[in-house]
Amino acid sequence: MSKENKLYDVAIVGYGPAGVTAGIYAARKKLKVVLLGEFPGGEVRNSGDIENWPGDGETDGNTLAEKFVGHLKLHDDTVDIKQELVSKIVEGEEGEFELTSRDEVIRARSVVYAAGRHPRKLGVPGEDQFKNLGVSYCATCDAPLFGDKAVAVIGGGNTGAEAVIMLKNIARKVYLLHIEDTLPADPVLVENFEGADNVEIIYRVKTTEIKGDKMVTGLVYEEIKSGEAKTLEVQGVFVNIGAIPNSDPVKDLVELDKYGAVKADRYGQTNVEGFMAAGDVTDIRDAQIVVAAGQGSSAALSAGNYLARAEK
Ligand SMILES: Cc1cc2nc3c(=O)[nH]c(=O)nc-3n(C[C@H](O)[C@H](O)[C@H](O)COP(=O)(O)OP(=O)(O)OC[C@H]3O[C@@H](n4cnc5c(N)ncnc54)[C@H](O)[C@@H]3O)c2cc1C
């Protein structure tokens, strides 16, 4: 594997709102920047309708993601964009960071790590076997495939609620299964589907199996109080039970919390000098676009301050 001779000032990992904002801020500081990110726009692209990004009123994930990417590309004279996955980041011998991507090692004096989160799995029989054969983790991507079918949405948080809102206009029947006796989703979302003819909310249950032959044909759940097992005939299962930080490439480098999120202060500084983190991969409370973008700006400014101090 080749090691790049070029030494960047800042390497940004992540092409979502946190990484893109960090890129824009670092470029405006005239730093030499590389941005490595697998999925342009990040989770924004999967976000469906977006009504809480200031200045846009109502927009949708694809449109906003394209705007983010377009804005970053205004700086492509100073920001090298590489649509690649980073598998590991270590500290090099001369205090710089080494980022291993598909076929090269990239060197940078500082890092803004903004790799987001990925969906948590149910961990039940049938889940892996029927992934993309009826099991989905992204309603925005897959809801249109379930026209006139019966589907189950697992998890009653905001992401689950948004899945129900999308699916109720496409699927014949939508079951929403939740483990507790109230839905934690924002009331403004729940009122969109509560009482809808084709939506049934099933409380206090946990999913124990996904059944199928070539494709999903059903779901088995257990009533928590009675222990009774019941089966739903569904052709789709949308899993929305939280997310796991994409911190694997840095797990031996920086301090993580018990959920695997990178611990960072409000300026994005981690326990490693010169290594900043931002957005959903960190131990923030609110996984939101505007929060991730704000953190991305702070982290890039922290990287700039770190580099300025290092030069004195
Ligand atoms: C269905 C859904 C609906 C949502 N709706 C809203 C909403 O209406 N309003 C709102 O404010 N928020 C919403 N969110 C949350 C919002 O999308 C996230 O909070 C936000 O995108 C987080 O930004 P981020 O930059 O931290 O991470 P992400 O957007 O997750 O971006 C992470 C980036 O890192 C890249 N990456 C990951 N690992 C690596 C690696 N090893 N190497 C290189 N690149 C890597 C990814 O490809 C991606 O480009 C929604 C989320 C979902 C899932």
Side-chain angles (χ1 to χ4, degrees):
M1 182 170 304
S2 70
K3 199 183 265 195
E4 268 223 14
N5 278 331
K6 187 167 177 181
L7 179 63
Y8 288 97
D9 293 322
V10 193
I12 297 166
V13 180
Y15 209 162
V20 166
T21 310
I24 293 165
Y25 272 70
R28 287 170 58 81
K29 289 276 172 196
K30 295 284 173 218
L31 300 171
K32 275 185 275 171
V33 186
V34 60
L35 182 141
L36 297 124
E38 212 195 0
F39 188 44
E43 279 302 311
V44 173
R45 220 174 262 283
N46 295 330
S47 295
D49 292 338
I50 296 170
E51 299 176 353
N52 52 9
W53 174 254
D56 266 335
E58 283 178 29
T59 185
D60 66 86
N62 259 325
T63 306
L64 190 57
E66 281 304 316
K67 278 186 172 181
F68 284 167
V69 171
H71 192 161
L72 179 66
K73 285 186 175 166
L74 295 177
H75 297 284
D76 61 5
D77 51 337
T78 39
V79 183
D80 289 344
I81 301 173
K82 295 177 187 258
Q83 209 174 319
E84 287 175 24
L85 196 67
V86 171
S87 55
K88 193 152 187 74
I89 307 181
V90 296
E91 271 181 294
E93 282 166 13
E94 286 156 40
E96 82 283 19
F97 295 94
E98 293 185 353
L99 298 86
T100 305
S101 73
R102 194 174 42 230
D103 41 26
E104 58 183 341
V105 174
I106 287 164
R107 297 164 59 241
R109 296 164 65 210
S110 68
V111 173
V112 173
Y113 192 74
R117 302 176 181 175
H118 65 273
R120 184 182 297 283
K121 287 183 170 185
L122 286 166
V124 300
E127 182 178 23
D128 287 342
Q129 188 184 348
F130 296 111
K131 188 178 171 194
N132 299 329
L133 297 170
V135 174
S136 168
Y137 301 87
C138 176
T140 315
C141 321
D142 298 332
L145 306 173
F146 293 86
D148 221 23
K149 302 226 159 76
V151 299
V153 172
I154 319 290
N158 281 347
T159 313
E162 283 174 10
V164 175
I165 293 166
M166 260 173 251
L167 284 157
K168 80 177 188 350
N169 298 325
I170 296 170
R172 174 172 46 82
K173 174 87 186 182
V174 184
Y175 298 98
L176 172 59
L177 280 68
H178 189 63
I179 199 158
E180 289 156 339
D181 49 14
T182 51
L183 299 180
D186 292 342
V188 69
L189 295 175
V190 177
E191 68 192 23
N192 271 291
F193 58 81
E194 228 173 11
D197 286 348
N198 64 339
V199 176
E200 186 176 333
I201 308 175
I202 308 175
Y203 294 100
R204 291 177 295 274
V205 290
K206 69 172 190 228
T207 306
T208 52
E209 188 180 351
I210 295 167
K211 287 177 169 292
D213 38 53
K214 288 190 181 116
M215 306 281 286
V216 167
T217 56
L219 170 149
V220 184
Y221 67 84
E222 183 185 297
E223 286 186 343
I224 288 173
K225 214 166 167 193
S226 66
E228 193 183 340
K230 293 194 170 166
T231 302
L232 292 174
E233 278 184 26
V234 291
Q235 292 78 51
V237 177
F238 287 82
V239 182
N240 298 279
I241 55 164
I244 299 171
N246 294 322
S247 56
D248 217 47
V250 297
K251 67 178 192 303
D252 300 324
L253 176 67
V254 286
E255 198 180 342
L256 308 179
D257 73 5
K258 63 179 176 179
Y259 305 106
V262 178
K263 286 174 112 178
D265 71 13
R266 65 192 164 117
Y267 304 110
Q269 180 61 61
T270 68
N271 64 316
V272 176
E273 271 278 285
F275 191 97
M276 267 47 77
D280 283 10
V281 76
T282 69
D283 55 345
I284 39 159
R285 192 190 59 184
D286 305 309
Q288 289 288 288
I289 300 165
V290 73
V291 176
Q295 285 200 322
S297 69
S298 281
L301 294 173
S302 296
N305 291 343
Y306 164 78
L307 293 167
R309 277 199 314 273
E311 265 157 29
K312 274 189 190 156

